[in-house]
Amino acid sequence: MQQSSSRTSSAVSHSDFLAYRTLSEYEWAFPDDLPTPKTDLTLIESARGGNVLFQLITGKEVPAGAAFSLRVEGANGITVTPYQLLPVHVEKNSAPRGKMETTDDYESVRHFVTRRAPFDVLDITAPIGEEGMAAGVLSLAFRFAVSPDAPVGVQEILLLVEAGEFSLRIPVRMTVHAAKIPAVRDSALTVCNWIYPQRLADTHHVEVFSEAYYTFYRRYLAHQLDIRSNQLCLVGGFDRLAGVAVLRDANGRITDFDLSDLERSLQIAKEIGFTFLSGPFVAHWKKWTDTGLWLLWDQETEVTTAEALRQLGLYFTRIAEMIRRNHWENCYLQCLVDEPQTYSEPMYRVLSGICRRYLPGIPISDPIETTGLAGAMDIYCVKQSAYERDIETYREIQQNGERFTYYTCGYPAGDTMNRVLDLPISAGRLTFWMCHRYGFEGFLHWGYHVENLVGPAGNQNIVYPYGNTVAESIRSHAQRAGAEDWELLNSVKRHDPARAEALVARACRDFNDYERAADVLDTIRHDLLSAADEYAEEYK
């Protein structure tokens, strides 16, 4: 991170500072917001090892290439990173609950969406480089990253900004709490955002798995770690393996699998700090109601056939060799099918049995919506709406000692928690609080960097390609914040489970009933930090 950005800063000498308005990290900013004059301090707080973000809007325009500089005074053990807030267009609103994708019928959704579509929202938190700023309304975000050994107490910090012809003087009172967020490598929470290698390559106009590709790949993985994603899963789609070449003889018969690209990709993830690795999916249904499952790489071969057994034996043998070669026995999970349905449960069990034959001791984990796969997988990754629909059955499975994570995606739409652009920011952040409510070990989302697909706006991505790098978003910052909240709740829960549960209940009751008001959420977060302070001795 950089303490100052763009061109070298001289002392701010302007006598008139631009008026602005600040917003908390729980509030959306919009390009057409009109700021009111601001004279009060900006008040923020964080645990040691944690982060806090606030946003700033001015209503003034800056041209492309406008120079930017930041000088920070009074920060001790805190790194301040500035971003330019840039707009994203929302063409249609999320559909009502239980429906898919989007709607033009605003009246049916006005009770839960933030604005009537179409509208623009400031979601991109773009880095500000030597080339200066992008053209548009001068809107900024500031991330305060607190070192684990920062002094506990209140700091009076002054941000002096020059942006084009404008100068801003931003006084900040920062409270550093005694509570400490553990490093990602020490976290008990698993967080996964899928990576699609071919889409990543296409986005940046490079050949997949080339050296140029891996330059971008490393940047994406570094960002994932920064937002506390610690489990990597490469996904090819419903018709291909990710990072695996299928080898055939002259007659087209599959003879082997080359895992070189997959292995290198996973090795890089482990080298830079990922905790868990997930092997790619191997099969899928053709229609939602299919009783059958077919191999991804040979979609005319059903998984219960002798030919499928031969091919799966070859594939899983190569996977087992890769695991042993890299000593990944304690960090590798195997995925089989994305969203197996009730109809395909018997065939999934066959596939699970084949996998266990060749990969004994390697946990199986898949996103599911059905309750009939008890014993066929080791870590159940249940869609949030499916869990609440069949909560009694899932809780019985959990009480039998089975492990659970969960996932969100574009269906169901409505106000169901998801990180889309016309829901409150809390709908993405509080997903991590729900892990405590339901005893989940982690969270998964499929749409980390995939853009321009169907679904509610923002369901597909929380980062944006930005020149030769990747730009964060307000929603990716919210993921980091939510994962840090989870750590604080976990600290409180170890000492006083009822107190932790009471804090969660104030913020969210279920996946459709959660707090939306920024001021209320700021108060709850303050109370969480204060509660975690009481148990800070454990971190010393």
Side-chain angles (χ1 to χ4, degrees), residues 340-342 345 349 368-375 380 382 386-387 389-395 397 404:
Q341 299 300 310
T342 302
E345 286 173 0
R349 289 185 173 279
I368 63 170
E369 300 185 38
T370 178
T371 60
L373 292 174
Y380 302 71
V382 186
Y387 184 88
R389 180 193 65 209
D390 298 313
I391 191 168
E392 295 305 320
T393 301
Y394 282 124
R395 280 181 166 167
I397 296 172
F404 273 64

Side-chain angles (χ1 to χ4, degrees), residues 399-410:
Q399 289 165 3
N400 290 333
E402 299 297 274
R403 300 168 61 189
F404 273 64
T405 61
Y406 86 100
Y407 73 103
T408 64
C409 66

Side-chain angles (χ1 to χ4, degrees), residues 427-458:
R429 180 167 178 169
L430 293 177
T431 54
F432 296 92
W433 294 55
M434 292 300 295
C435 287
H436 283 285
R437 166 130 298 198
Y438 289 143
F440 299 140
E441 297 180 14
F443 167 78
L444 176 146
H445 200 287
W446 73 274
Y448 167 69
H449 67 102
V450 181
E451 295 185 88
N452 302 321
L453 290 182
V454 296

Side-chain angles (χ1 to χ4, degrees), residues 411-433:
Y411 178 86
D415 54 354
T416 303
M417 281 187 185
N418 193 11
R419 52 195 195 186
V420 297
L421 287 164
D422 65 343
L423 288 184
I425 296 169
S426 60
R429 180 167 178 169
L430 293 177
T431 54
F432 296 92
W433 294 55

Side-chain angles (χ1 to χ4, degrees), residues 45-280:
E45 56 185 337
S46 174
R48 292 177 295 161
N51 297 265
V52 63
L53 185 88
F54 73 85
Q55 303 165 80
L56 179 152
I57 57 175
T58 69
K60 301 294 186 180
E61 296 276 343
V62 292
F68 178 90
S69 67
L70 167 68
R71 195 171 84 237
V72 180
E73 297 180 355
N76 185 359
I78 298 170
T79 301
V80 181
T81 302
Y83 305 92
Q84 185 177 8
L85 287 169
L86 297 176
V88 177
H89 187 63
V90 177
E91 183 61 32
K92 295 185 177 184
N93 284 121
S94 298
R97 190 189 305 176
K99 304 294 183 181
M100 294 187 71
E101 301 178 9
T102 59
T103 183
D104 291 314
D105 181 9
Y106 173 69
E107 292 304 317
S108 67
V109 297
R110 65 181 303 162
H111 60 288
F112 68 82
V113 299
T114 56
R115 277 200 171 190
R116 181 174 192 158
F119 64 89
D120 289 343
V121 60
L122 294 171
D123 185 47
I124 302 173
T125 56
I128 310 173
E130 291 296 327
E131 68 280 4
M133 306 185 75
V137 177
L138 175 56
S139 304
L140 303 169
F142 297 93
R143 173 184 173 186
F144 286 62
V146 184
S147 69
D149 57 355
V152 174
V154 176
Q155 298 188 28
E156 302 289 347
I157 300 172
L158 181 63
L159 308 183
L160 295 169
V161 171
E162 291 185 354
E165 63 178 297
F166 304 111
S167 299
L168 296 93
R169 183 180 187 278
I170 310 160
V172 178
R173 178 169 293 160
M174 172 80 183
T175 300
V176 177
H177 285 259
K180 185 183 292 187
I181 305 296
V184 176
R185 65 179 177 273
D186 299 322
S187 179
L189 180 72
T190 59
V191 182
C192 184
N193 287 274
W194 286 353
I195 293 283
Y196 291 75
Q198 188 62 57
R199 289 187 177 275
L200 192 158
D202 292 345
T203 295
H204 294 284
H205 310 292
V206 295
E207 181 181 350
V208 67
F209 303 123
S210 65
E211 290 307 310
Y213 163 86
Y214 280 116
T215 297
F216 288 104
Y217 174 76
R218 288 177 182 273
R219 291 172 185 164
Y220 279 77
L221 294 196
H223 174 256
Q224 286 212 357
L225 281 174
D226 188 42
I227 62 172
R228 303 186 71 86
S229 293
N230 58 2
Q231 178 176 325
L232 179 69
C233 185
L234 301 183
V235 178
F238 294 158
D239 60 352
R240 71 182 72 176
L241 284 163
V244 178
V246 181
L247 307 182
R248 302 175 185 268
D249 63 18
N251 297 317
R253 184 173 185 266
I254 292 173
T255 58
D256 210 343
F257 297 86
D258 181 354
L259 276 59
S260 301
D261 294 325
L262 173 65
E263 185 167 8
R264 183 180 180 191
S265 299
L266 298 181
Q267 286 171 339
I268 290 171
K270 284 298 291 181
E271 287 168 5
I272 70 172
F274 275 73
T275 307
F276 300 103
L277 308 173
S278 293

